[in-house]
Amino acid sequence: MRAYQITSHEIRPDVTDIAKPEPSKGEIRIRIGACGLNFADLLMQKGTYQDTPPLPFVGGMEVAGVVDAIGSDTAGPAIGTRVAVFAGHGGLAEYGCYDARRAVPLPDDMSFEDAAAFVVAYGTSHVALDYRARLQPGETLVVLGAAGGVGLTAVEIGKLMGATVIACARGADKLAVAKQAGADHLIDTTTEDLRSVIKSLGGADVVYDPVGGDQFKAVFRACNPEARLLPIGFASGDIPQIPANHLLVKNLTVMGLYWGGYLGFKPKVITDSLTTLMGWYGKGRIKPHISHVIPLDKANDAMDLLRSRKSTGKVVVTMS
């Protein structure tokens, strides 16, 4: 089968032919239709992600497709079932084997492209805002990187939860995407001062931050008393240091979120969240924004879109 295999953290990977995997006990094999890309895929290529597997490995964290084989002592889902899976890796291939317990059956009207763009981005934002931050109607939510894969879903979900949403992104085109997702206020991070604009809008009650760096520092200083800050990732490459005395003075709470970690110690958090999200999708309340759909043979082009920040929402790779 064809697969985008990483054999070195220093050499640019490419699509190659490798053996088709066979499912082990407790696993299903999926004929993959689409794979959604995430910033973590770039970190895995460099070997800097917290869950980077040993070399060689196939990239791609979230997949959608059809179950085509089942391992021994595996209850299902049945062969022929359309599913999405948070794979961790292995999604940029024509076939992949995964823990059957991670498979989420898809609504009949959900395309593989939508499904591959759905699980990680929406799951991260929903668990962050609902389970961790307990975002309340009427609160002000500030979203950094608001036109990116997870940021855009945070805008959408925050608005659904009744918050006033301030979207922060680079340039008018990206801000227009955030506006379409429901943002109430827009801040161009290339030209405007985050701290002063947010304070003029009443300050931040919840901060959703996949960026880090100077943007985190600026928004930190625009928080209201008892605000909650959610570090989701560090796309800027700069991990900010948090002054503990400021937490004390303003009664602030910083709560990290590694969404995939819940699979290991509290999987019900994820399954309950995905049940809610699939229900919202079925009712037309949420819809993934996919800026690019790229064939597997051009997977490096898809990665470059993330690396150069030229995409909005999600980039999805298809196998055909």
Side-chain angles (χ1 to χ4, degrees):
M1 70 173 185
R2 293 180 304 147
Y4 184 75
Q5 188 175 54
I6 291 89
T7 58
S8 167
H9 295 307
E10 286 75 41
I11 299 173
R12 185 176 173 90
D14 212 339
V15 176
T16 188
D17 288 321
I18 64 173
K20 183 191 296 186
E22 295 296 331
S24 301
K25 180 179 178 180
E27 290 186 334
I28 55 174
R29 186 174 68 196
I30 297 174
R31 185 175 73 251
I32 298 170
C35 176
L37 298 189
N38 296 273
F39 187 75
D41 289 307
L42 298 178
L43 299 180
M44 278 192 193
Q45 285 192 22
K46 295 191 296 183
T48 58
Y49 189 60
Q50 60 261 30
D51 275 346
T52 299
L55 296 168
F57 66 92
V58 174
M61 298 179 68
E62 55 185 328
V63 303
V66 178
V67 178
D68 89 319
I70 299 177
S72 62
D73 295 327
T74 305
I79 291 174
T81 305
R82 301 169 70 253
V83 297
V85 176
F86 173 63
H89 66 279
L92 288 170
E94 292 177 315
Y95 293 86
C97 294
Y98 312 106
D99 187 332
R101 295 171 296 180
R102 294 192 179 191
V104 180
L106 302 182
D108 292 339
D109 61 349
M110 192 178 212
S111 68
F112 290 144
E113 289 82 3
D114 273 4
F118 191 89
V119 172
V120 171
Y122 279 107
T124 296
S125 293
H126 185 251
V127 171
L129 297 177
D130 183 62
Y131 180 76
R132 293 289 280 153
R134 307 293 185 188
L135 178 67
Q136 299 299 307
E139 289 190 312
T140 296
L141 167 67
V142 174
V143 180
L144 302 180
V150 291
L152 199 59
T153 62
V155 171
E156 199 174 358
I157 290 172
K159 193 64 181 174
L160 276 175
M161 294 178 68
T164 296
V165 180
I166 301 173
C168 309
R170 298 169 60 88
D173 290 345
K174 291 189 174 183
L175 288 171
V177 173
K179 179 70 173 178
Q180 190 174 10
D184 298 286
H185 304 285
L186 308 173
I187 301 177
D188 188 337
T189 57
T190 63
T191 60
E192 298 181 85
D193 181 74
L194 278 175
R195 182 192 180 194
S196 62
V197 177
I198 292 169
K199 286 180 74 69
S200 74
L201 294 171
D205 298 311
V206 174
V207 176
Y208 183 98
D209 178 22
V211 177
D214 290 340
Q215 291 189 33
F216 178 92
K217 296 172 187 176
V219 177
F220 184 87
R221 298 174 69 191
C223 282
N224 294 326
E226 294 192 329
R228 290 89 75 202
L229 298 98
L230 292 153
I232 305 298
F234 309 101
S236 68
D238 180 4
I239 300 174
Q241 302 302 303
I242 300 168
N245 59 319
H246 290 197
L247 299 178
L248 182 153
V249 170
K250 281 193 172 182
N251 292 291
L252 302 180
T253 301
V254 179
M255 46 185 69
L257 178 79
Y258 170 39
W259 178 81
Y262 280 101
L263 289 169
F265 70 91
K266 212 171 188 180
K268 192 174 185 297
V269 170
I270 289 181
T271 55
D272 287 351
S273 172
L274 289 176
T275 298
T276 296
L277 291 166
M278 286 295 183
W280 285 353
Y281 180 92
K283 294 176 181 176
R285 301 185 71 188
I286 54 176
K287 170 75 173 175
H289 174 88
I290 301 170
S291 64
H292 296 81
V293 177
I294 308 288
L296 178 62
D297 288 340
K298 295 184 178 180
N300 274 324
D301 292 345
M303 292 292 182
D304 286 342
L305 286 168
L306 293 187
R307 192 174 287 109
S308 64
R309 302 184 186 181
K310 292 181 178 178
S311 60
T312 56
K314 294 287 285 190
V315 175
V316 172
V317 174
T318 57
M319 303 308 128
S320 58

